[in-house]
């Protein structure tokens, strides 16, 4: 029998944390090895090799540390995912225990495992009433691949084999697999590798700042939703399977739609009997102050993609919540659904997710975002709108963004924008990072999505830091004669 030579997990975790604090890193050597062997995602390899990557070595709460010992406030929760914050020993322990018990078994061939079953039941409990089934994947991209195949299978089973087209939006992000990138609306991704694949159409996004000139927000919301109806009629109702959208577009720049947008999208989907897919990879698990963003938007999706916050990024896991409308057809009509992954329902990832959800519940983090920290961030973040560089600032829950502009105006549509070639967003991101703040740039929109465990005091610290970095950016832009 295999005997466990290791010390108990609590001691292990504590000693790993202590060792990480004390460890001294040879940054140059790591960067050299990194350049030699590691191809990073979404990266200009040649450019990175010249600069050298930043080496992150540990995290605690809302902070991370790099190999030079620099402490940084992580305004992006890793990559929109570390919802419960860094350093949660109980997640490490849950994962450790599961690895010791059953590190892997598959869910093919009529088998299952206990954490996957428990997690599926838990997800059904915390999600809207129409969801009673879960399909697990290893990532959000795989979740959206699953959606594409599942909605087509749904319509096939009902005898509508032509209903295969999925409508999405420009500047949407739905992942980086072939289907995910095709469903997404990122021009840079479509420009490589012959994407999008056939059967996917894109409409405009509800971006009031960029496209709402001459309209109230509510008018613009209805207008942007009407593009869906136009597209359905253009493609032909008999060919449209589903509409997919992020409740709030994340990677596209935290595009918060007008309040009229989603209810109108729902109305149009219902009118034509089209399935509605909410990609909640970012909005799920409390980001907007509700377990799922669609609850806040007042919509009733048929499918929900999830990933990131389900494990707070501690271990990869994604999937699709499958609503009764789709699940009942897949189950009752029978026949194999020929789709799945080795790591669908991975027991270790599911154990990590269960502990992560337990923390979210125990610390009432979702309610806190709704009632306390979300409203407080809204108030504090809005004060940044008075900064000379900020033309527009908005937030929902713990996600926020601001637009850097050359000249401000009372009417946001009259702000003068910077020339895109000046890369002002990237200049600003550099000042943020040098001053210990991670804020992401999407063009000239600066965005944050901090951990949900963030306190009001930490929000004050973060907003103060952002203001100082905006000042530093302004000084720099003056020197560069860009303002
Ligand atoms: N859907 C949405 C809404 C996402 O935000 C995915 C799907 C894909 O998930 P995976 O787990 O396959 O990466 C995402 C991922 C960025 C950025 O630059 C955002 C994501 C991924 C990488 C970069 O903001 N979101």
């Amino acid at each position: 029998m295999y005997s466990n030579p290791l010390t108990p997990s609590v001691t292990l975790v504590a000693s790993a944390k202590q060792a990480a604090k004390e460890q001294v890193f040879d940054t140059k050597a790591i960067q050299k090895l990194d350049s030699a062997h590691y191809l990073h995602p979404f990266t200009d390899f040649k450019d990175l090799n010249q600069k050298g990557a930043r080496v992150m070595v540990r995290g605690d709460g809302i902070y991370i540390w790099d190999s030079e010992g620099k402490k940084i406030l992580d305004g992006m929760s890793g990559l929109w995912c570390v919802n419960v914050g860094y350093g949660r020993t109980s997640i490490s322990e849950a994962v450790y225990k599961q690895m010791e018990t059953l590190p892997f078994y598959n869910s093919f061939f009529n088998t299952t495992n206990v954490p996957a079953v428990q997690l599926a039941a838990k997800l059904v409990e915390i999600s809207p009433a129409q969801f009673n089934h879960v399909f697990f994947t290893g990532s959000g991209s795989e979740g959206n691949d699953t959606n594409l195949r599942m909605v087509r299978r749904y319509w096939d089973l009902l005898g509508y084999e032509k209903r295969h087209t999925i409508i999405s939006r420009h500047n949407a992000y739905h992942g980086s697999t072939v289907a995910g990138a095709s469903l997404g609306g990122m021009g840079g991704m479509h420009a490589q590798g012959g994407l999008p694949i056939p059967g996917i159409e894109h409409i405009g996004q509800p971006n009031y700042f960029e496209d709402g000139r001459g309209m109230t927000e509510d008018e613009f919301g209805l207008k942007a939703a009407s593009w869906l109806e136009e597209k359905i009629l253009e493609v032909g109702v008999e060919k449209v399977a589903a509409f997919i959208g992020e409740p709030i577009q994340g990677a596209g720049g935290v595009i918060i739609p007008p309040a009229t947008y989603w209810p109108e999208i729902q109305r149009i989907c219902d009118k034509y009997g089209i399935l509605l897919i909410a990609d909640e990879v970012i909005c799920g698990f409390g980001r907007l102050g509700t377990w799922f963003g669609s609850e806040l938007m007042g919509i009733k999706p048929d499918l929900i993609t999830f990933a990131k916050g389900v494990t707070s990024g501690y271990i990869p896991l994604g999937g699709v919540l499958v609503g009764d409308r789709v699940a009942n057809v897949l189950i009752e009509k029978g026949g194999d659904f020929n789709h799945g992954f080795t790591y669908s329902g991975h027991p270790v990832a599911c154990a990590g997710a269960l502990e992560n959800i337990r923390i979210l519940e125990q610390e009432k983090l979702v309610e806190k975002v709704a009632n306390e920290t979300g409203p407080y961030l809204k108030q504090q973040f809005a004060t940044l709108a008075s900064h000379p560089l900020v033309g527009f600032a908005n937030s929902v829950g713990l996600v926020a963004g601001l637009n850097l502009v050359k000249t401000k105006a009372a009417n946001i549509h009259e702000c003068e924008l910077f020339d895109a070639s000046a890369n002002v967003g990237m200049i600003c991101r550099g000042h943020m990072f040098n001053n210990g703040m991670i804020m992401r740039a999407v063009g000239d929109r600066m965005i944050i999505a901090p951990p949900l465990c963030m306190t009001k005091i930490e929000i004050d610290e973060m907003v103060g830091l952002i203001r100082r970095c905006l000042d530093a950016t302004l000084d720099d832009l003056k020197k560069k004669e860009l303002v």
Side-chain angles (χ1 to χ4, degrees):
M1 202 172 97
Y2 175 71
S3 72
N4 177 7
L6 300 172
T7 45
S9 58
V10 183
T11 321
L12 257 186
V13 171
S15 62
K17 281 188 179 178
Q18 193 53 36
K21 273 187 200 164
E22 289 163 9
Q23 197 172 349
V24 177
F25 297 90
D26 182 344
T27 304
K28 286 265 174 302
I30 298 167
Q31 287 174 328
K32 202 170 156 208
L33 212 54
D34 182 78
S35 301
H37 304 296
Y38 184 11
L39 298 177
H40 293 236
F42 283 88
T43 295
D44 178 335
F45 308 129
K46 193 171 175 187
D47 183 58
L48 179 65
N49 289 353
Q50 276 155 11
K51 287 192 239 161
R54 298 163 186 147
V55 184
M56 302 305 183
V57 294
R58 68 187 178 93
D60 190 19
I62 62 164
Y63 301 99
I64 48 171
W65 281 262
D66 70 12
S67 54
E68 305 282 272
K70 189 179 171 71
K71 181 182 177 187
I72 306 155
L73 195 161
D74 184 8
M76 279 308 296
S77 305
L79 196 55
W80 317 87
C81 49
V82 188
N83 288 12
V84 297
Y86 296 93
R88 297 287 193 161
T89 303
S90 66
I91 300 183
S92 327
E93 283 183 312
V95 162
Y96 173 82
K97 279 186 194 143
Q98 187 56 44
M99 281 197 173
E100 288 286 290
T101 315
L102 181 72
F104 176 74
Y105 201 74
N106 72 71
S107 295
F108 293 54
F109 322 125
N110 304 337
T111 56
T112 193
N113 69 77
V114 178
V117 175
Q118 287 175 334
L119 180 60
K122 187 73 207 174
L123 291 171
V124 164
E125 182 194 317
I126 61 174
S127 61
Q130 69 271 29
F131 293 103
N132 286 296
H133 294 88
V134 184
F135 194 100
F136 288 116
T137 69
S139 68
S141 302
E142 290 171 9
N144 284 324
D145 277 56
T146 301
N147 278 326
L148 181 132
R149 302 201 59 207
M150 194 179 274
V151 300
R152 289 180 174 176
R153 168 94 179 137
Y154 166 84
W155 286 114
D156 286 351
L157 284 171
L158 289 176
Y160 295 91
E161 285 90 358
K162 279 197 197 144
R163 282 191 98 139
H164 275 196
T165 301
I166 302 180
I167 301 176
S168 178
R169 301 176 297 180
H170 297 301
N171 202 35
Y173 191 81
H174 296 302
S176 194
T177 49
V178 170
S182 296
L183 288 168
M186 297 290 174
M189 294 174 83
H190 289 179
Q192 297 177 356
L195 302 182
I197 54 171
I200 294 171
E201 298 281 336
H202 296 85
I203 60 170
Q205 58 177 338
N207 186 336
Y208 182 61
F209 180 77
E210 284 189 7
D211 304 316
R213 184 178 279 268
M215 284 177 263
T216 64
E217 266 201 86
D218 282 355
E219 284 165 357
F220 175 68
L222 294 176
K223 172 90 189 147
S226 77
W227 299 329
L228 173 60
E229 188 156 23
E230 282 170 19
K231 185 57 88 180
I232 293 169
L233 297 175
E234 181 194 314
V235 172
V237 188
E238 72 287 356
K239 293 197 188 131
V240 181
F243 174 74
I244 184 168
E246 304 151 79
I248 288 176
Q249 283 164 261
V254 181
I255 310 300
I256 302 171
T260 48
Y261 180 75
W262 275 111
E264 182 63 4
I265 290 282
Q266 176 82 66
R267 191 190 68 75
I268 295 166
C269 287
D270 290 347
K271 179 173 171 188
Y272 296 100
I274 287 162
L275 294 168
L276 177 56
I277 308 169
D279 183 343
E280 301 244 19
V281 167
I282 285 176
C283 296
F285 300 93
R287 175 63 52 205
L288 309 185
T290 43
W291 279 97
F292 294 93
S294 19
E295 296 167 88
L296 188 72
M297 300 299 161
I299 53 171
K300 206 170 162 243
D302 299 295
L303 298 147
I304 284 181
T305 327
F306 64 89
K308 298 191 187 271
V310 66
T311 58
S312 282
Y314 278 61
I315 188 159
L317 180 71
V320 176
L321 291 170
V322 185
D324 291 341
R325 177 177 169 192
V326 174
N328 290 344
V329 170
L330 296 181
I331 296 164
E332 279 159 24
K333 295 269 179 189
D336 279 358
F337 177 40
N338 295 320
H339 174 76
F341 305 97
T342 301
Y343 299 133
S344 288
H346 194 293
V348 177
C350 292
L354 282 163
E355 178 53 23
N356 173 61
I357 294 170
R358 196 197 60 75
I359 294 172
L360 286 167
E361 284 182 325
Q362 193 197 4
E363 298 183 10
K364 298 196 180 344
L365 290 178
V366 184
E367 292 87 337
K368 262 193 194 147
V369 172
N371 305 320
E372 216 180 284
T373 48
Y376 190 68
L377 176 67
K378 194 173 200 59
Q379 204 185 63
Q380 297 307 308
F381 199 77
T383 65
L384 295 170
S386 63
H387 193 277
L389 269 182
V390 178
F392 179 56
N394 58 354
S395 79
V396 175
L398 284 197
V399 66
L402 56 84
N403 292 74
L404 301 173
V405 297
K406 193 166 181 179
T407 322
K408 289 162 74 97
N411 176 341
I412 59 167
H413 297 120
E414 280 160 20
C415 293
E416 189 189 350
L417 307 182
F418 288 104
D419 197 283
S421 63
N423 276 331
V424 169
M426 294 306 270
I427 294 173
C428 183
R429 189 183 81 164
H431 286 289
M432 294 281 170
F433 189 80
N434 291 337
N435 288 293
M437 171 75 206
I438 290 196
M439 191 171 192
R440 194 158 141 19
V442 178
D444 290 346
R445 185 152 163 89
M446 303 301 299
I447 59 177
I448 49 164
L452 309 186
C453 58
M454 187 172 234
T455 62
K456 284 184 174 178
I457 291 170
E458 289 169 337
I459 290 176
D460 287 340
E461 180 194 338
M462 178 177 71
V463 174
L465 201 49
I466 294 174
R467 185 173 286 110
R468 288 199 295 283
C469 296
L470 288 171
D471 289 341
T473 306
L474 182 59
D475 287 346
D476 193 13
L477 295 180
K478 280 181 185 158
K479 272 189 221 134
K480 294 185 162 99
E481 296 185 353
L482 287 166
V483 282

